[in-house]
Amino acid sequence: MKQLNYNLSICLLVIFMIQSCVINKTKDNTEMNYTLLIHGGAGTLKRNRMTPEKELEYRGTIEEALKKGENILKNGGLAIEAVESVVKYLEDSPLFNAGKGSVFSHDGIQEMDASIMDGRDLSCGAVAGVTNLKNPIEGARIVKDSSKHVFLYGDRAQEYCISKGAKYEPSSYFFSEKRWKQYQRALKKDKIELDHDSNGDRGDIDFIESKKFGTVGCVALDSYGNLASATSTGGLTNKKYGRIGDSPIIGAGTYADNSSCAVSCTGRGEYFIRGTIARDISAILEYKQVTLKKAGELTLQKLAKIGGKGGYIAVDNMGNFIMMFNTRGMYRGVVTSNRPPVVKIYKDE
Ligand code: ASP
């Protein structure tokens, strides 16, 4: 009898162990592992030039955006959905140079650029020079999903996106006194205000704000191992002749490939185009056995070598991530499945 009881106990123990393995496995399989990063532009961003209220506003908006993205990923959403939704949220904020907060071009209009890329199949879409799409990133997504093309520009791009459901807003929606003043100052000095380098410049907070790259971007790794990237911008204050920057250019400001990483850049677009910065980071990972950190460092060296300033956020398919820049600061934030949102602005944070 004793022996029988003993055997029964062993049996029960084995069943229990098998069950817990199954339970753990099930748990592992359904566990949501994700990483999401945001940037809101890089620049001089000196502490003594920022008011505590403004700083709080920036940090709060970035944190909200991170939470918005996390919510999608936590509930099993795809990386492509998360990046689009986060960038839309930032476009709706007047704080950043994208969507509602876009800067004025030389002709006194707001011409916006955006792109989005899905690392699953390298599908991507971009719009440039659109003036009345509430969310240019929505336009980029429409180009990706509904057109047979990758990159559309100007009024016809806008008409197409609206015909496919993108939201239209009149110019008054995008207008802000702050951006207008920045534009007037830049016009007077005949300067193309990209930003940064407020070294030596004096001025109020509005002017300081015009001295940074306020483009927004988001990269994400979802629980299924998919990567995606999205970038949106108003470009540069006082930009001329229909200028288009790196943000809508796949491989320059935006890139995502499930076999390597997802990247979104900010900085003076001309250098990012010349250096194919976003694609370089991904290509280094693809062709060489190096870490994302190493790939990011090598690319930043290249950017500096050609005189470029700015930075990028990137996440690889293992969830490793970088937020690198060669300016004094970059609005940035990260959230992962095992760590709450972190927001940073300055270099020394
Ligand atoms: N990269 C953007 C452009 O050149 C500017 C920015 O990052 O703020 O259009």
Side-chain angles (χ1 to χ4, degrees):
M1 191 59 188
K2 226 178 174 184
Q3 181 61 36
L4 195 69
N5 274 346
Y6 177 75
N7 284 348
L8 200 67
S9 314
I10 294 285
C11 258
L12 284 173
L13 189 68
V14 169
I15 288 171
F16 175 75
M17 280 168 65
I18 291 173
Q19 250 190 0
S20 31
C21 279
V22 171
I23 288 166
N24 279 340
K25 194 162 180 287
T26 309
K27 198 171 159 240
D28 278 346
N29 283 348
T30 54
E31 209 171 87
M32 293 293 156
N33 286 309
Y34 51 82
T35 303
L36 182 136
L37 291 102
I38 288 174
H39 71 73
T44 305
L45 303 177
K46 286 181 186 166
R47 269 201 177 80
N48 58 355
R49 305 265 186 167
M50 177 80 96
T51 65
E53 297 75 31
K54 265 272 171 259
E55 187 171 327
L56 225 82
E57 213 182 331
Y58 276 107
R59 288 187 191 274
T61 307
I62 295 171
E63 190 173 331
E64 266 316 298
L66 287 170
K67 286 184 185 158
K68 204 170 174 57
E70 173 170 38
N71 213 26
I72 293 171
L73 298 175
K74 197 160 64 182
N75 290 303
L78 294 172
I80 190 78
E81 308 299 344
V83 298
E84 184 188 352
S85 161
V86 165
V87 167
K88 260 189 190 165
Y89 180 79
L90 295 169
E91 284 176 339
D92 291 344
S93 161
L95 289 180
F96 302 97
N97 172 19
K100 192 169 171 55
S102 291
V103 299
F104 285 93
S105 70
H106 183 68
D107 302 317
I109 45 178
Q110 285 148 303
E111 296 169 301
M112 301 170 281
D113 307 333
S115 67
I116 191 162
M117 185 160 188
D118 190 336
R120 285 180 298 180
D121 55 2
L122 307 189
S123 63
C124 50
V127 290
V130 294
T131 50
N132 298 89
L133 290 187
K134 176 171 186 273
N135 294 107
I137 201 65
E138 185 178 43
R141 180 78 193 265
I142 287 171
V143 173
K144 173 179 120 49
D145 291 347
S146 310
S147 80
K148 288 198 169 63
H149 307 296
V150 161
F151 196 175
L152 305 183
Y153 77 96
D155 292 347
R156 280 172 298 165
Q158 188 163 293
E159 275 161 29
Y160 173 73
C161 294
I162 290 168
S163 78
K164 294 286 175 190
K167 260 195 221 120
Y168 169 93
E169 286 290 351
S171 306
S172 54
Y173 166 82
F174 300 93
F175 182 87
S176 81
E177 205 53 48
K178 176 179 91 176
R179 294 300 189 200
W180 187 254
K181 273 195 206 157
Q182 286 172 356
Y183 162 60
Q184 294 299 327
R185 284 194 187 104
L187 262 187
K188 239 187 242 161
K189 294 199 277 171
D190 194 26
K191 246 180 101 185
I192 297 164
E193 298 259 287
L194 11 123
D195 310 326
H196 307 319
D197 309 332
S198 72
N199 295 331
D201 283 318
R202 285 150 192 266
D204 58 22
I205 186 80
D206 285 352
F207 184 63
I208 300 315
E209 281 184 359
S210 76
K211 308 295 274 180
K212 61 170 177 49
F213 303 112
T215 292
V216 302
C218 180
V219 295
L221 169 70
D222 66 27
S223 300
Y224 319 104
N226 300 314
L227 292 163
S229 170
T231 313
S232 180
T233 189
L236 310 177
T237 300
N238 200 21
K239 62 185 178 182
K240 295 174 180 171
Y241 327 120
R243 180 260 188 196
I244 295 171
D246 61 315
S247 308
I249 297 181
I250 298 298
T254 303
Y255 204 75
D257 180 350
N258 273 10
S259 66
S260 56
C261 61
V263 187
S264 173
C265 304
T266 177
R268 185 164 186 147
E270 282 69 10
Y271 296 93
F272 287 75
I273 297 171
R274 286 165 61 192
T276 59
I277 296 302
R279 172 62 187 147
D280 258 33
I281 299 172
S282 163
I284 293 171
L285 278 193
E286 189 178 339
Y287 299 124
K288 291 190 172 240
Q289 297 299 313
V290 298
T291 60
L292 177 63
K293 186 166 176 276
K294 185 75 191 160
E297 283 165 0
L298 287 171
T299 311
L300 204 63
Q301 280 168 21
K302 173 179 168 178
L303 180 70
K305 209 165 148 192
I306 58 173
K309 288 223 164 192
Y312 33 74
I313 49 172
V315 56
D316 71 13
N317 53 17
M318 303 298 290
N320 302 302
F321 63 85
I322 53 170
M323 303 190 270
M324 284 184 180
F325 48 97
N326 63 5
T327 50
R328 279 180 183 259
M330 180 167 82
Y331 292 105
R332 60 202 187 277
V334 59
V335 63
T336 76
S337 33
N338 46 35
R339 91 186 229 196
V342 176
V343 177
K344 295 183 179 183
I345 300 178
Y346 308 106
K347 199 165 205 150
D348 56 7
E349 281 185 81

